[in-house]
Short mmCIF file of all heavy atoms in Angstrom, two decimals:
data_model
loop_
_atom_site.label_atom_id
_atom_site.label_comp_id
_atom_site.label_asym_id
_atom_site.label_seq_id
_atom_site.Cartn_x
_atom_site.Cartn_y
_atom_site.Cartn_z
N ASP A 1 -17.70 -79.43 -32.04
CA ASP A 1 -18.32 -78.41 -31.19
C ASP A 1 -17.36 -77.97 -30.10
O ASP A 1 -16.23 -78.56 -29.95
CB ASP A 1 -19.65 -78.88 -30.63
CG ASP A 1 -19.52 -80.09 -29.72
OD1 ASP A 1 -18.49 -80.25 -29.01
OD2 ASP A 1 -20.51 -80.86 -29.63
N GLN A 2 -17.73 -77.03 -29.29
CA GLN A 2 -16.78 -76.47 -28.33
C GLN A 2 -16.31 -77.51 -27.30
O GLN A 2 -15.11 -77.54 -26.93
CB GLN A 2 -17.44 -75.25 -27.55
CG GLN A 2 -16.47 -74.50 -26.69
CD GLN A 2 -15.29 -73.88 -27.39
OE1 GLN A 2 -15.36 -73.46 -28.53
NE2 GLN A 2 -14.12 -73.95 -26.75
N SER A 3 -17.20 -78.32 -26.79
CA SER A 3 -16.85 -79.34 -25.81
C SER A 3 -15.86 -80.36 -26.41
O SER A 3 -14.93 -80.82 -25.76
CB SER A 3 -18.07 -79.99 -25.23
OG SER A 3 -18.75 -80.73 -26.22
N GLU A 4 -16.10 -80.71 -27.68
CA GLU A 4 -15.19 -81.68 -28.36
C GLU A 4 -13.81 -81.03 -28.60
O GLU A 4 -12.80 -81.69 -28.45
CB GLU A 4 -15.81 -82.09 -29.63
CG GLU A 4 -16.99 -83.01 -29.49
CD GLU A 4 -17.73 -83.21 -30.84
OE1 GLU A 4 -17.71 -82.36 -31.71
OE2 GLU A 4 -18.29 -84.38 -31.03
N LEU A 5 -13.81 -79.76 -28.91
CA LEU A 5 -12.51 -79.05 -29.12
C LEU A 5 -11.76 -78.98 -27.83
O LEU A 5 -10.54 -79.13 -27.78
CB LEU A 5 -12.80 -77.69 -29.70
CG LEU A 5 -11.61 -76.96 -30.32
CD1 LEU A 5 -10.97 -77.77 -31.42
CD2 LEU A 5 -12.05 -75.62 -30.87
N GLU A 6 -12.42 -78.71 -26.71
CA GLU A 6 -11.76 -78.70 -25.37
C GLU A 6 -11.17 -80.09 -25.10
O GLU A 6 -10.10 -80.14 -24.48
CB GLU A 6 -12.75 -78.24 -24.30
CG GLU A 6 -13.13 -76.80 -24.41
CD GLU A 6 -14.17 -76.36 -23.36
OE1 GLU A 6 -14.56 -77.28 -22.55
OE2 GLU A 6 -14.52 -75.17 -23.35
N LYS A 7 -11.92 -81.13 -25.38
CA LYS A 7 -11.45 -82.49 -25.14
C LYS A 7 -10.19 -82.75 -25.99
O LYS A 7 -9.18 -83.32 -25.51
CB LYS A 7 -12.51 -83.55 -25.42
CG LYS A 7 -12.01 -84.96 -25.20
CD LYS A 7 -13.01 -86.02 -25.78
CE LYS A 7 -14.13 -86.25 -24.84
NZ LYS A 7 -14.93 -87.46 -25.23
N PHE A 8 -10.23 -82.33 -27.25
CA PHE A 8 -9.08 -82.49 -28.15
C PHE A 8 -7.86 -81.81 -27.58
O PHE A 8 -6.76 -82.36 -27.53
CB PHE A 8 -9.42 -81.95 -29.53
CG PHE A 8 -8.29 -81.98 -30.56
CD1 PHE A 8 -8.06 -83.12 -31.29
CD2 PHE A 8 -7.44 -80.88 -30.74
CE1 PHE A 8 -6.99 -83.16 -32.20
CE2 PHE A 8 -6.40 -80.93 -31.63
CZ PHE A 8 -6.18 -82.02 -32.38
N GLU A 9 -8.02 -80.56 -27.14
CA GLU A 9 -6.94 -79.79 -26.52
C GLU A 9 -6.38 -80.53 -25.28
O GLU A 9 -5.13 -80.57 -25.10
CB GLU A 9 -7.39 -78.43 -26.16
CG GLU A 9 -7.74 -77.51 -27.30
CD GLU A 9 -8.36 -76.21 -26.90
OE1 GLU A 9 -8.94 -76.07 -25.77
OE2 GLU A 9 -8.26 -75.24 -27.65
N ALA A 10 -7.25 -81.11 -24.46
CA ALA A 10 -6.78 -81.79 -23.25
C ALA A 10 -6.00 -83.04 -23.59
O ALA A 10 -4.96 -83.34 -22.97
CB ALA A 10 -7.97 -82.16 -22.39
N ILE A 11 -6.45 -83.75 -24.65
CA ILE A 11 -5.76 -84.97 -25.01
C ILE A 11 -4.39 -84.69 -25.56
O ILE A 11 -3.40 -85.37 -25.16
CB ILE A 11 -6.59 -85.75 -26.08
CG1 ILE A 11 -7.94 -86.19 -25.53
CG2 ILE A 11 -5.83 -86.98 -26.59
CD1 ILE A 11 -8.89 -86.71 -26.57
N ILE A 12 -4.23 -83.67 -26.42
CA ILE A 12 -2.91 -83.40 -26.96
C ILE A 12 -2.01 -82.81 -25.85
O ILE A 12 -0.77 -82.98 -25.93
CB ILE A 12 -2.95 -82.47 -28.19
CG1 ILE A 12 -3.54 -81.06 -27.87
CG2 ILE A 12 -3.72 -83.10 -29.30
CD1 ILE A 12 -3.43 -80.10 -29.05
N ASP A 13 -2.60 -82.14 -24.87
CA ASP A 13 -1.80 -81.69 -23.73
C ASP A 13 -1.24 -82.85 -22.95
O ASP A 13 -0.13 -82.79 -22.38
CB ASP A 13 -2.63 -80.82 -22.82
CG ASP A 13 -1.81 -80.13 -21.74
OD1 ASP A 13 -1.11 -79.16 -22.04
OD2 ASP A 13 -1.81 -80.63 -20.58
N SER A 14 -1.97 -83.98 -22.97
CA SER A 14 -1.45 -85.18 -22.27
C SER A 14 -0.37 -85.86 -23.06
O SER A 14 0.29 -86.78 -22.51
CB SER A 14 -2.63 -86.14 -22.02
OG SER A 14 -3.01 -86.81 -23.22
N GLY A 15 -0.20 -85.54 -24.35
CA GLY A 15 0.86 -86.06 -25.13
C GLY A 15 0.47 -87.28 -25.96
O GLY A 15 1.30 -87.82 -26.70
N GLU A 16 -0.82 -87.62 -25.95
CA GLU A 16 -1.27 -88.77 -26.77
C GLU A 16 -1.65 -88.38 -28.17
O GLU A 16 -2.24 -87.32 -28.40
CB GLU A 16 -2.48 -89.44 -26.10
CG GLU A 16 -2.15 -90.12 -24.79
CD GLU A 16 -3.09 -91.27 -24.46
OE1 GLU A 16 -3.23 -92.14 -25.36
OE2 GLU A 16 -3.64 -91.32 -23.35
N TYR A 17 -1.18 -89.14 -29.13
CA TYR A 17 -1.51 -88.96 -30.59
C TYR A 17 -1.10 -87.55 -31.04
O TYR A 17 -1.83 -86.85 -31.70
CB TYR A 17 -2.96 -89.22 -30.81
CG TYR A 17 -3.40 -90.61 -30.48
CD1 TYR A 17 -4.03 -90.89 -29.27
CD2 TYR A 17 -3.12 -91.69 -31.32
CE1 TYR A 17 -4.39 -92.19 -28.95
CE2 TYR A 17 -3.45 -92.98 -31.01
CZ TYR A 17 -4.13 -93.22 -29.81
OH TYR A 17 -4.45 -94.52 -29.50
N THR A 18 0.19 -87.26 -30.72
CA THR A 18 0.70 -85.95 -31.15
C THR A 18 1.98 -86.10 -31.96
O THR A 18 2.64 -85.10 -32.20
CB THR A 18 1.02 -85.09 -29.91
OG1 THR A 18 2.01 -85.78 -29.06
CG2 THR A 18 -0.24 -84.78 -29.08
N GLY A 19 2.35 -87.32 -32.38
CA GLY A 19 3.62 -87.55 -33.06
C GLY A 19 3.63 -87.03 -34.48
O GLY A 19 4.78 -86.83 -35.01
N SER A 20 2.50 -86.73 -35.12
CA SER A 20 2.50 -86.33 -36.48
C SER A 20 1.14 -85.72 -36.78
O SER A 20 0.18 -85.88 -36.01
CB SER A 20 2.76 -87.51 -37.42
OG SER A 20 1.70 -88.44 -37.35
N VAL A 21 1.01 -85.08 -37.95
CA VAL A 21 -0.29 -84.54 -38.37
C VAL A 21 -1.25 -85.72 -38.61
O VAL A 21 -2.43 -85.61 -38.31
CB VAL A 21 -0.14 -83.71 -39.65
CG1 VAL A 21 -1.49 -83.29 -40.17
CG2 VAL A 21 0.67 -82.50 -39.37
N LYS A 22 -0.68 -86.84 -39.05
CA LYS A 22 -1.53 -88.05 -39.23
C LYS A 22 -2.17 -88.44 -37.89
O LYS A 22 -3.39 -88.75 -37.87
CB LYS A 22 -0.68 -89.22 -39.75
CG LYS A 22 -1.39 -90.55 -39.85
CD LYS A 22 -0.42 -91.64 -40.24
CE LYS A 22 -1.04 -93.05 -40.12
NZ LYS A 22 -0.11 -94.10 -40.42
N ASP A 23 -1.39 -88.43 -36.82
CA ASP A 23 -1.93 -88.79 -35.51
C ASP A 23 -3.02 -87.79 -35.12
O ASP A 23 -4.09 -88.22 -34.60
CB ASP A 23 -0.84 -88.76 -34.44
CG ASP A 23 0.11 -89.94 -34.53
OD1 ASP A 23 -0.24 -90.93 -35.15
OD2 ASP A 23 1.23 -89.88 -33.95
N LEU A 24 -2.80 -86.52 -35.30
CA LEU A 24 -3.73 -85.52 -34.91
C LEU A 24 -5.03 -85.64 -35.70
O LEU A 24 -6.16 -85.45 -35.17
CB LEU A 24 -3.14 -84.09 -35.10
CG LEU A 24 -1.94 -83.79 -34.25
CD1 LEU A 24 -1.24 -82.55 -34.73
CD2 LEU A 24 -2.38 -83.58 -32.83
N ILE A 25 -4.91 -85.95 -37.00
CA ILE A 25 -6.13 -86.13 -37.85
C ILE A 25 -6.94 -87.31 -37.30
O ILE A 25 -8.20 -87.18 -37.20
CB ILE A 25 -5.69 -86.38 -39.33
CG1 ILE A 25 -5.19 -85.05 -39.94
CG2 ILE A 25 -6.83 -86.94 -40.14
CD1 ILE A 25 -4.56 -85.23 -41.33
N ASN A 26 -6.30 -88.43 -37.03
CA ASN A 26 -6.99 -89.56 -36.50
C ASN A 26 -7.58 -89.35 -35.16
O ASN A 26 -8.67 -89.81 -34.85
CB ASN A 26 -6.04 -90.81 -36.44
CG ASN A 26 -5.90 -91.46 -37.82
OD1 ASN A 26 -6.87 -91.85 -38.43
ND2 ASN A 26 -4.68 -91.64 -38.30
N LEU A 27 -6.93 -88.54 -34.35
CA LEU A 27 -7.47 -88.21 -33.03
C LEU A 27 -8.79 -87.46 -33.12
O LEU A 27 -9.73 -87.71 -32.36
CB LEU A 27 -6.45 -87.35 -32.23
CG LEU A 27 -6.87 -86.88 -30.85
CD1 LEU A 27 -7.24 -88.05 -29.99
CD2 LEU A 27 -5.80 -86.02 -30.22
N THR A 28 -8.95 -86.54 -34.07
CA THR A 28 -10.21 -85.77 -34.23
C THR A 28 -11.39 -86.72 -34.43
O THR A 28 -12.48 -86.38 -34.11
CB THR A 28 -10.13 -84.82 -35.40
OG1 THR A 28 -10.00 -85.48 -36.62
CG2 THR A 28 -8.97 -83.83 -35.24
N GLN A 29 -11.11 -87.91 -34.97
CA GLN A 29 -12.16 -88.87 -35.29
C GLN A 29 -12.28 -90.00 -34.28
O GLN A 29 -13.03 -90.95 -34.49
CB GLN A 29 -11.95 -89.41 -36.68
CG GLN A 29 -11.90 -88.35 -37.78
CD GLN A 29 -11.41 -88.83 -39.09
OE1 GLN A 29 -12.20 -89.36 -39.92
NE2 GLN A 29 -10.10 -88.75 -39.38
N ASN A 30 -11.56 -89.87 -33.18
CA ASN A 30 -11.58 -90.88 -32.13
C ASN A 30 -11.70 -90.30 -30.76
O ASN A 30 -11.23 -90.91 -29.74
CB ASN A 30 -10.30 -91.76 -32.21
CG ASN A 30 -10.29 -92.71 -33.35
OD1 ASN A 30 -10.82 -93.82 -33.30
ND2 ASN A 30 -9.68 -92.33 -34.49
N LEU A 31 -12.33 -89.19 -30.61
CA LEU A 31 -12.44 -88.53 -29.33
C LEU A 31 -13.31 -89.34 -28.32
O LEU A 31 -13.13 -89.15 -27.12
CB LEU A 31 -13.09 -87.14 -29.52
CG LEU A 31 -12.24 -86.11 -30.31
CD1 LEU A 31 -13.02 -84.79 -30.41
CD2 LEU A 31 -10.90 -85.93 -29.68
N ASP A 32 -14.12 -90.24 -28.84
CA ASP A 32 -14.89 -91.11 -27.94
C ASP A 32 -14.05 -92.14 -27.19
O ASP A 32 -14.52 -92.87 -26.33
CB ASP A 32 -16.07 -91.78 -28.67
CG ASP A 32 -15.62 -92.64 -29.85
OD1 ASP A 32 -14.38 -92.49 -30.23
OD2 ASP A 32 -16.41 -93.36 -30.42
N CYS A 33 -12.78 -92.21 -27.56
CA CYS A 33 -11.87 -93.13 -26.83
C CYS A 33 -11.36 -92.51 -25.55
O CYS A 33 -10.56 -93.12 -24.85
CB CYS A 33 -10.69 -93.47 -27.76
SG CYS A 33 -11.11 -94.42 -29.18
N PHE A 34 -11.78 -91.28 -25.24
CA PHE A 34 -11.31 -90.60 -24.08
C PHE A 34 -12.52 -90.04 -23.27
O PHE A 34 -13.56 -89.68 -23.88
CB PHE A 34 -10.35 -89.41 -24.47
CG PHE A 34 -9.13 -89.87 -25.12
CD1 PHE A 34 -9.08 -90.10 -26.45
CD2 PHE A 34 -7.97 -90.01 -24.42
CE1 PHE A 34 -7.91 -90.52 -27.11
CE2 PHE A 34 -6.79 -90.44 -24.98
CZ PHE A 34 -6.77 -90.69 -26.39
N GLU A 35 -12.32 -89.90 -21.99
CA GLU A 35 -13.30 -89.26 -21.12
C GLU A 35 -12.71 -87.91 -20.72
O GLU A 35 -11.49 -87.83 -20.41
CB GLU A 35 -13.60 -90.06 -19.83
CG GLU A 35 -14.15 -91.46 -20.14
CD GLU A 35 -15.46 -91.43 -20.94
OE1 GLU A 35 -16.25 -90.51 -20.78
OE2 GLU A 35 -15.66 -92.31 -21.79
N PHE A 36 -13.53 -86.87 -20.64
CA PHE A 36 -13.01 -85.53 -20.33
C PHE A 36 -14.04 -84.85 -19.38
O PHE A 36 -15.24 -84.82 -19.66
CB PHE A 36 -12.85 -84.68 -21.56
CG PHE A 36 -12.47 -83.23 -21.31
CD1 PHE A 36 -11.28 -82.94 -20.72
CD2 PHE A 36 -13.36 -82.27 -21.66
CE1 PHE A 36 -10.92 -81.61 -20.50
CE2 PHE A 36 -13.03 -80.92 -21.40
CZ PHE A 36 -11.77 -80.59 -20.87
N TYR A 37 -13.46 -84.34 -18.27
CA TYR A 37 -14.34 -83.62 -17.31
C TYR A 37 -13.83 -82.17 -17.22
O TYR A 37 -12.75 -81.91 -16.63
CB TYR A 37 -14.23 -84.31 -15.92
CG TYR A 37 -14.71 -85.75 -15.99
CD1 TYR A 37 -13.84 -86.80 -15.58
CD2 TYR A 37 -15.97 -86.10 -16.45
CE1 TYR A 37 -14.23 -88.08 -15.64
CE2 TYR A 37 -16.34 -87.41 -16.53
CZ TYR A 37 -15.49 -88.41 -16.12
OH TYR A 37 -15.90 -89.73 -16.24
N SER A 38 -14.55 -81.29 -17.84
CA SER A 38 -14.17 -79.87 -17.94
C SER A 38 -14.13 -79.25 -16.57
O SER A 38 -15.00 -79.48 -15.72
CB SER A 38 -15.17 -79.12 -18.84
OG SER A 38 -14.85 -77.77 -18.94
N GLY A 39 -13.06 -78.40 -16.29
CA GLY A 39 -12.93 -77.66 -15.10
C GLY A 39 -12.36 -78.42 -13.93
O GLY A 39 -12.13 -77.80 -12.89
N ILE A 40 -12.14 -79.73 -14.07
CA ILE A 40 -11.52 -80.49 -12.93
C ILE A 40 -10.01 -80.44 -13.14
O ILE A 40 -9.45 -81.02 -14.08
CB ILE A 40 -12.01 -81.95 -12.97
CG1 ILE A 40 -13.51 -82.04 -12.89
CG2 ILE A 40 -11.34 -82.80 -11.88
CD1 ILE A 40 -14.08 -81.44 -11.57
N THR A 41 -9.34 -79.75 -12.22
CA THR A 41 -7.86 -79.50 -12.41
C THR A 41 -7.06 -79.86 -11.23
O THR A 41 -5.89 -79.48 -11.19
CB THR A 41 -7.70 -78.00 -12.73
OG1 THR A 41 -8.22 -77.17 -11.65
CG2 THR A 41 -8.33 -77.57 -14.04
N SER A 42 -7.62 -80.60 -10.29
CA SER A 42 -6.77 -81.04 -9.10
C SER A 42 -7.29 -82.38 -8.60
O SER A 42 -8.45 -82.80 -8.88
CB SER A 42 -6.85 -79.98 -7.96
OG SER A 42 -8.18 -79.97 -7.39
N ASP A 43 -6.47 -83.06 -7.82
CA ASP A 43 -6.87 -84.37 -7.22
C ASP A 43 -8.02 -84.21 -6.30
O ASP A 43 -8.94 -85.07 -6.25
CB ASP A 43 -5.68 -84.94 -6.47
CG ASP A 43 -4.61 -85.51 -7.46
OD1 ASP A 43 -4.92 -85.90 -8.53
OD2 ASP A 43 -3.42 -85.52 -6.99
N GLU A 44 -8.05 -83.11 -5.57
CA GLU A 44 -9.23 -82.93 -4.62
C GLU A 44 -10.54 -82.76 -5.40
O GLU A 44 -11.54 -83.36 -5.00
CB GLU A 44 -8.91 -81.70 -3.77
CG GLU A 44 -10.12 -81.44 -2.76
CD GLU A 44 -9.83 -80.23 -1.88
OE1 GLU A 44 -8.81 -79.60 -1.98
OE2 GLU A 44 -10.80 -79.94 -1.07
N GLU A 45 -10.51 -81.95 -6.41
CA GLU A 45 -11.73 -81.76 -7.23
C GLU A 45 -12.12 -83.10 -7.90
O GLU A 45 -13.37 -83.40 -7.97
CB GLU A 45 -11.47 -80.71 -8.34
CG GLU A 45 -11.30 -79.32 -7.77
CD GLU A 45 -10.95 -78.32 -8.86
OE1 GLU A 45 -10.49 -78.75 -9.99
OE2 GLU A 45 -11.05 -77.11 -8.62
N LEU A 46 -11.16 -83.86 -8.32
CA LEU A 46 -11.48 -85.19 -8.92
C LEU A 46 -12.10 -86.10 -7.94
O LEU A 46 -13.08 -86.76 -8.20
CB LEU A 46 -10.15 -85.75 -9.51
CG LEU A 46 -10.35 -87.08 -10.27
CD1 LEU A 46 -11.17 -86.90 -11.51
CD2 LEU A 46 -8.96 -87.65 -10.63
#
């Protein structure tokens, strides 16, 4: 869904599990290993 896709985009932007298509495929099925807070983009907001 849209929120999961946004989390996926944020994770690959962080550089985790981006070494191969295999990594990316596995990441789509392990999104619960990450926490994501949409719209939080600075230390102050955090």
Side-chain angles (χ1 to χ4, degrees):
D1 62 29
Q2 186 59 37
S3 63
E4 290 171 327
L5 196 55
E6 289 177 0
K7 180 191 279 193
F8 178 85
E9 292 174 336
I11 297 167
I12 63 173
D13 187 78
S14 74
E16 294 208 50
Y17 298 100
T18 59
S20 64
V21 174
K22 174 186 171 183
D23 287 344
L24 294 166
I25 288 172
N26 279 306
L27 177 58
T28 65
Q29 301 170 87
N30 285 276
L31 295 180
D32 56 348
C33 294
F34 296 83
E35 302 299 328
F36 175 65
Y37 302 122
S38 179
I40 302 298
T41 57
S42 70
D43 287 331
E44 181 179 357
E45 292 174 343
L46 183 64

